């Protein structure tokens, strides 16, 4: 019997008809390859080609740079298929097929965009290209481009050569090109003729041989294999590795390689190349935002070598560009692009970032992918696409990351400060918001200075993928060249970072680490270390450090509408941790549905009411019972005022008030000045204060007389707090204001502690109800912040109306890590890989999370009506919110500024949970 050996498929063909892959094959074909296949499937005009899979890349690195068996044969077979389809042969000296070789990872990585165009041109095949096209200028231009790219990508980068700053092979070749232009007295590449390019191609080869000690290969297959290998190699290049680290992209994903028949945008004035977003990635406006260049190849647009033309008349008038738009120059092509926009957006249900080439009046699509966008644009696009019925609500909500939402909470330059500031330049507004920092001119220095704690603005001629490690920690990025689709603009937008590109007013001298700008008839000089400020929303650069302010989100309708969509899906309630009316108002403005934690002790530290602290200190220091009682009453009066103000703002929303928690010694003065003030105010000696401090001293105060223990040791303190709370509620109720106080007992370890305190709380409530002649709408509950309380939650639940996880203390006690001191140890643990993350920021699902889940299950078993929430810091962390949603909490509570993020995280986690349940059901049904 014949044995059938199943051969691995390493290469997939794509074409307008006959694509072997689909968009869903991104893991295998990379984003670019999968979407090229999909565009073929949609019948869009793409040049045919083939994709070598990401699996080849993984195998390549596993086997020390050896390709898997059968891969080369498949490359050859696909090349033949391509030759047949195009009707030209690779390496044919009469009419050569030329190809591009490009990388394409699963997730777009502008950090490793290695591309080699025009592969297949040699000293022999170029003659065929000249004869066939009758256009020697075009052919020599293609050749010199191949030589430049090949030398850069294959012969230098992939070979692991690290040139000095300013001395890379690409820069040396560009310098040569500038020299020729200068000698000829021209400015643009388009002004060089065939002879110039031919001469340059030969000069380039000489420079390459001299600099890299290797000749530029003159064999087409050698070029092709070299380019494929270089793209794979680039996956593990320095810049790609650092980009992946920043973006959290796994190193074992690998990149695919796309080999595609060349189409030429540089064949004359009826040819062009361009890039565009189907909607504006800066503000979400539903119009093409793009750039094109006549008689050029793709890299020219992104590299910022020539100033690109605007794509539409609308964009031209908006940017004030003098250059003709594609809409005006090639109206038919522009109309085709409009149709393609609709096809792509309807098909992918997302804003697309496209690349296209026009060869002699015919449009070709070279790439489409979901476009990166900043926070404001993400929100607008999500809402618009939902309104246009392109995506459902759930998809609209998943489209905006919590980080993008966070961008809207970012700083802006204070407009008042801008009025009097010195403008030193204007550029394109590539990344919104404001940034202020000291100038640095190289990515390495930006990284080092930022590490040393400085706020830096990275100022570059233009950025390249090698700069990402310095771009990330910079407050903002400023480049002298490049357009809205330049590297700096793309990367900054992806990160939501403030960025200005193409600021031609500045002249950078890297050697002296200085930049100069012309201001009127003066020339201003800025050194490294000088402060500047960027307004990335307007594209203006200012001298000096300007004041920054937070944007007013309460008046941002798009933001509010988007957040309102979260309410249709999320299951988790959203509360806030706040104890001042201003904070409560802000949190409610952001959509908080009540207060999950009002810490009574925070009323003591009110800068505007120093007498509250004094009353507390009197309470602690007096030995005379009458004086003590008077102090307690006085403190009760202030607490009542604060509770009343807060309940009034809440207007019927729940207010969880946590009874006094910290050890009392924390209220005694420490500084000399405060001790003296207290001595005067109380007519008490320093000795007496010190004596009291010694009495209250505990070896381990965090585990000492605090929380519920305080209330059991001094029940009168609990009583007084409850009197304040219930009287405030009753008096408001009499005025027709609805109140819902929820009294919360901290730090219990046993149900009996709660029973003890609840008796006092309910007695006071009954007394107030009788005195005011009304019924109060109140609850009594406890925090779960000790492991024992979690373990015995089933018993505790029988007596409480609600529970709230205090995960700050619960984490402290589960780990035995002091929450106030452990930060440097946790940092070291994370660096050494002992811990994966800081458990005080994100819930530790394997430890603390197990206690939380146990608590919820046990508590619900004995008290099905119990309400369970969280008020520890982790309650505002998106990852923790997903976990808390999955274990079935009723609400999460966090600081006011995190409320919007929590609303989105709660909705997204519920969508993900429902999808997982549906998938499970479907799997079970099959
Ligand atoms: C907690 O422990 O998580 C909590 C919310 O209380 P505090 O931070 O006040 O101890
Ligand atoms: Mg606590």
């Amino acid at each position: 019997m014949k044995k059938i050996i199943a051969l691995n498929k390493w290469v997939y063909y794509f074409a307008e008809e006959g694509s072997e892959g689909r968009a869903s094959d991104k893991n295998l074909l990379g984003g670019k390859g999968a979407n090229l296949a999909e565009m073929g499937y949609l019948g869009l005009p793409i040049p045919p080609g083939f994709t070598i899979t990401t699996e080849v890349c993984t195998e390549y690195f596993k086997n020390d740079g050896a390709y898997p068996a059968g891969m080369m044969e498949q490359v050859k077979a696909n090349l033949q298929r391509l030759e047949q389809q195009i009707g030209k042969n690779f390496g044919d000296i009469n009419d050569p097929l030329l190809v591009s070789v490009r990388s394409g990872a699963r997730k777009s990585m502008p950090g490793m965009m290695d591309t080699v165009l025009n592969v297949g041109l040699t000293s022999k095949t170029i003659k065929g290209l000249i004869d066939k096209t009758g256009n020697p200028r075009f052919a020599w231009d293609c050749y010199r481009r191949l030589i430049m790219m090949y030398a850069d990508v294959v012969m230098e980068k992939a070979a692991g050569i690290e040139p000095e700053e300013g001395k890379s092979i690409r820069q040396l070749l560009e310098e040569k090109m500038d020299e020729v232009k200068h000698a000829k007295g021209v400015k643009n590449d388009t002004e060089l003729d065939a002879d110039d390019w031919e001469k340059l191609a030969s000069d380039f080869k000489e420079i390459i041989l001299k600099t890299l000690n290797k000749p530029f290969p003159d064999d087409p297959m050698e070029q092709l294999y070299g380019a494929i290998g270089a793209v794979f190699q680039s996956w593990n290049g320095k810049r790609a590795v650092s980009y992946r680290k920043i973006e959290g992209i796994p190193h074992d994903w690998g990149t695919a390689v796309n080999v595609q028949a060349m189409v030429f945008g540089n064949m004359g004035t009826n040819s062009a190349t361009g890039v565009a977003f189907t909607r504006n990635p800066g503000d979400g406006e539903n119009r093409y935002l793009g750039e094109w260049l006549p008689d050029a190849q793709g890299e020219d647009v992104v590299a910022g070598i020539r100033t690109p033309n605007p794509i539409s008349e609308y964009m031209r008038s908006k940017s004030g560009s003098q250059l003709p738009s594609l809409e005006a120059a090639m109206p038919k092509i522009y109309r085709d692009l409009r149709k393609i926009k609709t096809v792509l957006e309807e098909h992918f249900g997302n804003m697309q970032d496209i690349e296209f080439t026009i060869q002699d009046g015919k449009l070709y699509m070279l790439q489409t992918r979901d476009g990166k966008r900043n926070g404001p644009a993400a929100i607008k696009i999500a809402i618009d696409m939902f309104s246009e019925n392109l995506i459902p609500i759930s998809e609209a909500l998943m489209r905006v990351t919590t980080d993008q939402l966070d961008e809207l909470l970012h700083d802006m330059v204070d407009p008042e400060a801008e009025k009097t500031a010195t403008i030193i330049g204007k550029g394109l507004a590539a990344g919104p918001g404001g940034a202020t920092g000291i100038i640095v001119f190289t990515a390495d220095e930006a990284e080092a200075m930022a590490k040393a704690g400085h706020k830096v603005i990275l100022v570059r001629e233009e950025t390249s993928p090698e700069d990402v490690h310095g771009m990330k920690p910079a407050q903002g990025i400023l480049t002298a060249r490049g357009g809205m689709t330049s590297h700096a603009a793309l990367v900054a937008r992806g990160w939501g970072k403030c960025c200005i590109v193409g600021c031609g007013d500045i002249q950078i001298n890297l050697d002296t680490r200085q930049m100069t700008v012309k201001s009127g008839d003066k020339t201003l000089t800025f050194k490294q270390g000088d402060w500047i400020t960027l307004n990335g929303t307007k594209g203006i650069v200012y001298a000096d450090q300007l004041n920054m302010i937070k944007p007013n989100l309460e008046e941002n309708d798009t933001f509010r509408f988007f957040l309102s969509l979260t309410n249709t899906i999320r299951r988790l309630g959203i509360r806030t941790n706040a104890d001042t009316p201003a904070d409560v108002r802000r949190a409610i403005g952001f959509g908080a549905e009540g207060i999950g934690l009002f810490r009574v002790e925070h009323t003591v530290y009110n800068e505007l009411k120093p007498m509250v602290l004094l009353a507390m200190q009197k309470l602690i220091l007096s030995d005379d019972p009458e004086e003590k009682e008077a102090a307690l009453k006085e403190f009760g009066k202030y607490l009542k005022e604060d509770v009343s103000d807060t309940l009034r703002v809440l207007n019927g929303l729940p207010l969880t008030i946590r009874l006094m928690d910290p050890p009392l010694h924390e209220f005694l003065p420490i500084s000399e000045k405060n001790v003296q003030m207290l001595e005067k105010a109380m007519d008490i000696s320093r000795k007496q204060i010190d004596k009291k401090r010694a009495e209250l001293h505990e070896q381990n105060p965090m585990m000492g007389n605090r929380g519920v223990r305080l209330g059991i040791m001094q029940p009168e303190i609990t009583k007084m707090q409850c009197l304040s709370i219930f009287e405030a509620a009753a008096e408001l109720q009499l005025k027709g204001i609805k109140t819902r106080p929820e009294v919360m007992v901290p730090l219990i370890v046993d149900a009996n502690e709660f029973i003890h305190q609840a008796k006092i709380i309910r007695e006071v409530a009954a007394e107030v109800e009788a005195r005011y002649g009304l019924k109060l709408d109140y609850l009594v509950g406890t925090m779960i912040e000790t492991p024992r309380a979690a373990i015995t939650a089933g018993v505790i639940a029988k007596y409480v109306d609600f529970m709230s996880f205090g995960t700050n203390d619960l984490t402290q006690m589960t780990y035995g890590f002091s929450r106030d001191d452990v930060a440097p140890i946790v940092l070291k643990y994370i660096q050494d890989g002992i811990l994966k993350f800081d458990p005080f920021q994100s819930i530790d699902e394997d430890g603390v999370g197990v206690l939380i889940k146990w608590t919820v299950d046990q508590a619900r078993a004995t008290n099905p009506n119990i309400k369970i929430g969280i008020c520890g810091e982790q309650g505002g962390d998106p990852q923790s919110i997903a976990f808390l949603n999955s274990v079935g909490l009723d609400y999460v509570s966090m600081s006011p500024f995190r409320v919007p993020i929590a609303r989105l995280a709660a909705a997204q986690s519920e969508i993900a949970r429902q999808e997982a349940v549906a998938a499970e059901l479907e799997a079970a049904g099959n």
Side-chain angles (χ1 to χ4, degrees):
M1 209 169 64
K2 245 189 176 175
K3 217 167 152 195
I4 298 168
I5 303 169
L7 263 185
N8 270 338
K9 188 165 169 59
W10 303 113
V11 182
Y12 287 69
Y13 198 72
F14 57 80
E16 239 176 278
E17 270 172 36
S19 282
E20 292 176 335
R22 290 295 303 266
S24 50
D25 296 323
K26 286 204 175 63
N27 292 359
L28 186 65
L29 303 180
K32 189 177 291 179
N35 280 358
L36 272 167
E38 192 76 5
M39 283 200 286
Y41 172 80
L42 291 171
L44 294 177
I46 55 161
F50 53 88
T51 304
I52 309 171
T53 67
T54 55
E55 282 176 355
V56 173
C57 186
T58 323
E59 290 289 311
Y60 176 84
F61 283 112
K62 231 196 275 163
N63 301 320
D64 293 330
Y67 292 121
M71 185 280 248
M72 276 304 176
E73 288 70 20
Q74 293 181 27
V75 167
K76 281 184 198 146
N78 277 274
L79 187 61
Q80 267 176 14
R81 186 171 168 186
L82 188 59
E83 288 174 334
Q84 276 158 18
Q85 184 160 17
I86 298 279
K88 292 179 188 208
N89 289 331
F90 192 64
D92 186 342
I93 56 167
N94 296 316
D95 186 11
L97 164 70
L98 302 186
V99 296
S100 65
V101 179
R102 296 166 194 256
S103 66
R106 278 190 213 187
K107 225 173 131 184
S108 123
M109 287 177 54
M112 50 163 298
M113 287 202 310
D114 272 348
T115 292
V116 189
L117 302 180
N118 310 328
V119 172
L121 263 185
T122 65
S123 58
K124 295 183 195 69
T125 59
I126 191 160
K127 294 193 181 68
L129 188 66
I130 294 170
D131 289 348
K132 266 287 161 206
T133 57
N135 189 343
R137 185 195 177 279
F138 154 74
W140 286 112
D141 180 31
C142 287
Y143 193 40
R144 68 88 194 173
R145 284 171 190 271
L146 166 67
I147 300 171
M148 271 181 123
M149 279 187 262
Y150 198 92
D152 172 30
V153 172
V154 186
M155 300 177 74
E156 186 173 86
K157 286 199 189 108
I161 298 170
E162 285 193 19
E164 280 172 54
E165 171 99 17
K167 297 272 185 291
S168 72
I169 188 73
R170 178 172 270 280
Q171 282 158 315
L172 296 180
L173 300 183
E174 267 168 12
E175 271 167 24
K176 183 79 205 168
M177 215 160 93
D178 287 343
E179 208 180 289
V180 171
K181 281 197 264 182
H182 191 75
K184 212 178 165 178
V186 298
K187 264 182 91 180
N188 296 318
D189 295 2
T190 43
E191 293 167 277
L192 295 183
D193 61 24
D195 290 344
D196 297 324
W197 289 130
E198 181 175 359
K199 169 84 177 49
L200 263 174
S202 125
D203 289 349
F204 280 2
K205 286 195 214 169
E206 260 177 45
I207 296 173
I208 291 168
L209 186 62
K210 216 168 82 198
T211 316
L212 301 173
N213 295 320
K214 261 190 191 169
F216 170 74
D218 203 32
D219 174 66
M221 275 324 249
E222 189 185 338
Q223 287 177 4
L224 179 62
Y225 291 150
I228 293 173
V231 172
F232 282 137
Q233 202 68 43
S234 71
W235 176 258
N236 268 358
K238 191 176 149 200
R239 64 209 163 115
V241 172
S242 83
Y243 186 85
R244 287 203 296 276
K245 274 193 199 146
I246 292 167
E247 293 287 310
I249 296 173
H251 296 300
D252 59 3
W253 275 6
T255 178
V257 178
N258 299 292
V259 178
Q260 190 174 23
M262 280 300 304
V263 281
F264 299 98
N266 56 337
M267 268 181 123
T269 47
N270 204 21
S271 299
T273 186
V275 291
F277 294 93
T278 55
R279 298 180 190 224
N280 189 325
D283 61 16
E285 192 178 21
N286 186 7
R287 287 175 187 269
Y288 259 126
L289 179 119
E291 286 157 347
W292 72 291
L293 275 176
D295 197 10
Q297 278 196 326
E299 43 152 14
D300 298 348
V301 185
V302 193
I305 296 164
R306 282 160 61 186
T307 303
N309 305 20
I311 193 161
S312 62
E313 281 301 288
Y314 174 78
M315 217 188 121
R316 195 180 63 77
S317 65
K318 212 169 152 188
S319 65
S321 170
Q322 302 297 317
L323 299 166
S325 72
L326 183 70
E327 188 176 5
M330 300 186 184
K332 155 94 179 58
I333 298 278
Y334 185 71
R335 276 200 303 279
D336 288 348
L337 272 177
R338 294 278 305 259
K339 280 186 214 142
I340 288 173
K341 169 183 187 315
T342 311
V343 172
L344 290 176
E345 286 195 345
E346 278 180 4
H347 183 72
F348 289 103
N350 206 342
M351 182 268 266
Q352 297 294 293
D353 168 359
I354 61 168
E355 264 180 45
F356 60 90
T357 281
I358 300 152
Q359 175 175 302
D360 218 6
K362 176 160 170 35
L363 173 68
Y364 290 95
M365 297 296 294
L366 297 190
Q367 174 165 325
T368 190
R369 60 183 171 191
D370 293 347
K372 295 204 173 189
R373 62 209 75 179
N374 65 18
I379 292 176
K380 173 148 172 55
I381 291 170
I383 290 174
D384 286 352
M385 287 199 150
F386 163 62
S387 315
E388 293 157 30
N389 282 329
L390 290 176
I391 50 172
I393 282 197
S394 56
E395 194 53 46
L397 287 167
M398 294 306 272
R399 279 292 160 73
V400 180
T401 65
T402 47
D403 281 350
Q404 282 173 326
L405 194 62
D406 197 29
E407 273 173 45
L408 272 78
L409 307 158
H410 281 175
D411 294 357
M412 282 172 15
V413 187
D414 181 352
E416 281 306 308
E418 279 183 292
K419 280 184 194 161
T420 52
T422 313
I423 296 180
I424 56 172
K426 283 191 183 159
L428 299 174
T436 188
I438 56 170
I439 301 171
V440 285
F441 292 102
T442 70
D444 287 345
E445 281 155 354
E447 188 181 34
M449 297 293 273
K451 258 201 194 125
H454 296 280
K455 289 187 165 178
V456 303
I457 304 283
L458 179 61
V459 182
R460 303 282 288 163
E461 198 67 42
E462 59 188 301
T463 67
S464 80
E466 277 95 333
D467 292 325
V468 285
H469 63 290
M471 294 164 78
K472 184 78 185 178
Q475 303 291 313
I477 298 156
L478 170 64
T479 69
R481 290 202 281 174
M484 288 296 273
T485 46
S486 65
H487 178 264
L490 282 178
V491 173
R493 213 160 25 233
W495 290 335
K497 199 178 278 290
C498 173
C499 176
I500 298 175
V501 297
C503 179
D505 305 318
I506 58 171
Q507 297 231 298
I508 299 169
N509 185 333
L510 205 54
D511 293 334
T512 58
R513 297 287 195 272
Q514 285 185 338
M515 70 176 195
T516 50
V517 290
K518 281 240 173 300
S519 172
D521 45 17
K522 275 190 293 181
T523 300
L524 304 175
T525 302
F526 293 83
K527 299 183 302 301
Q528 179 138 321
D530 287 345
W531 282 84
I532 53 168
T533 299
L534 310 183
N535 180 332
T537 313
K538 293 193 205 150
I540 303 176
V541 187
Y542 296 104
D544 302 319
Q545 177 182 17
L546 300 189
N547 192 30
M548 298 280 150
I549 54 165
K550 295 249 175 241
N552 183 359
L553 291 173
E554 275 123 81
E555 283 167 23
N556 182 332
D557 290 342
T558 321
F559 172 79
R560 298 177 71 78
F561 177 67
F562 177 75
L563 283 181
S564 74
L565 295 182
T566 64
N567 298 358
T568 62
I569 287 188
R570 71 184 157 83
R571 210 186 44 76
L572 278 172
I574 306 289
R575 296 197 184 186
T576 189
N577 296 354
D579 13 56
T580 68
D583 276 355
V584 178
R585 246 180 237 116
R586 175 176 295 126
I588 291 177
F590 284 154
E593 297 153 329
I595 291 186
L597 180 62
F598 174 107
R599 292 174 167 104
V600 160
E601 61 270 18
H602 283 191
T603 64
V604 176
Y605 294 105
N606 184 339
E607 279 165 28
L608 301 175
K609 292 186 188 170
M611 57 283 195
V612 191
L613 178 59
L614 195 59
M616 195 66 203
Q617 290 168 335
K618 277 186 194 157
L619 171 65
I620 297 166
L621 290 167
S622 316
D623 287 324
D624 174 57
E626 267 174 37
E627 255 178 47
K628 229 180 173 42
E629 196 179 326
L632 194 57
K633 272 207 177 119
E634 198 184 344
F635 176 62
K637 187 181 87 184
Y638 297 127
L639 177 61
K640 185 172 158 184
E641 279 171 16
D642 280 3
V643 172
S644 178
D645 288 348
T646 308
L647 283 171
R648 196 190 289 271
V649 176
L650 284 168
N651 197 19
L653 294 174
L655 167 60
T656 308
I657 305 175
R658 200 264 309 271
L659 297 178
M660 186 81 77
D661 182 55
L664 291 181
H665 75 88
E666 280 191 11
F667 296 114
L668 291 181
I670 295 172
S671 74
E672 185 57 32
K673 189 176 125 226
N674 289 344
V675 170
Q676 279 174 12
M677 266 167 57
L678 186 62
E679 277 181 313
K680 260 205 205 117
M682 264 190 81
D683 192 18
I684 190 173
S685 72
R686 172 186 303 262
K687 244 184 158 174
Q688 284 168 288
I689 298 174
D690 287 343
K691 186 168 159 262
K692 196 51 143 190
R693 201 194 306 279
E695 261 173 49
L696 292 173
H697 174 78
E698 293 174 297
Q699 289 296 350
N700 227 333
M702 262 294 174
M703 295 191 185
N705 189 14
R706 61 171 284 219
V708 66
R709 296 158 217 170
L710 204 62
I712 290 175
M713 301 303 282
Q714 287 166 270
E716 66 281 8
I717 296 185
T718 302
K719 208 167 162 185
M720 174 279 298
Q721 294 175 81
C722 294
L723 212 54
S724 302
I725 295 166
F726 292 130
E727 282 185 0
E731 285 166 20
L732 288 171
Q733 215 166 298
L734 285 180
K735 291 183 188 147
I737 297 169
K738 208 169 150 22
T739 63
R740 283 169 62 198
E742 301 178 347
V743 181
M744 183 157 75
V745 180
L747 213 76
I748 68 165
V749 296
D750 193 284
N752 284 329
E753 290 172 310
F754 178 79
I755 293 168
H756 177 284
Q757 292 290 287
K759 184 165 176 287
I760 300 173
I761 298 166
R762 295 203 167 99
E763 275 172 9
V764 175
E767 186 274 316
V768 171
E769 282 177 335
R771 185 147 46 89
Y772 285 83
L774 43 74
K775 268 252 139 310
L776 291 164
D777 181 8
Y778 74 97
L779 299 178
V780 189
T782 187
M783 295 188 78
I784 299 292
E785 12 181 26
T786 65
R788 194 175 188 284
I791 292 164
T792 60
V795 182
I796 295 169
K798 290 185 203 162
Y799 306 98
V800 304
D801 298 324
F802 69 92
M803 285 175 167
S804 177
F805 290 104
T807 39
N808 304 331
D809 276 313
L810 189 59
T811 303
Q812 166 164 269
M813 295 198 212
T814 305
Y815 277 80
F817 280 177
S818 161
R819 58 191 265 190
D820 299 321
D821 310 302
V822 83
I825 298 172
V826 167
L827 200 71
K828 165 93 176 123
Y829 272 29
I830 293 172
Q831 273 163 1
D832 292 357
I834 295 168
L835 282 181
K836 287 210 178 66
F837 59 90
D838 179 350
F840 289 98
Q841 268 176 32
S842 258
I843 297 245
D844 148 48
E845 291 178 27
D846 299 335
V848 176
V850 172
L851 286 176
I852 291 177
K853 186 158 172 22
W854 168 267
T855 303
V856 174
D857 293 346
Q858 298 297 307
R860 291 249 156 84
T862 51
N863 180 354
N865 296 325
I866 194 167
K867 205 163 37 137
I868 307 179
I870 179 175
C871 57
E873 277 308 301
Q874 297 90 335
D877 166 62
Q879 200 177 322
S880 307
I881 289 174
F883 168 74
L884 297 164
N885 187 46
S886 75
V887 298
L889 252 63
D890 293 301
Y891 69 85
V892 287
S893 188
M894 69 295 307
S895 61
F897 264 106
R898 290 170 100 183
V899 166
I901 290 161
R903 288 173 74 188
L904 180 58
Q908 290 182 336
S909 63
E910 181 56 16
I911 293 166
R913 193 188 66 82
Q914 286 178 12
E915 278 172 3
V917 171
E920 243 172 62
L921 283 178
E922 199 180 299
N926 285 339

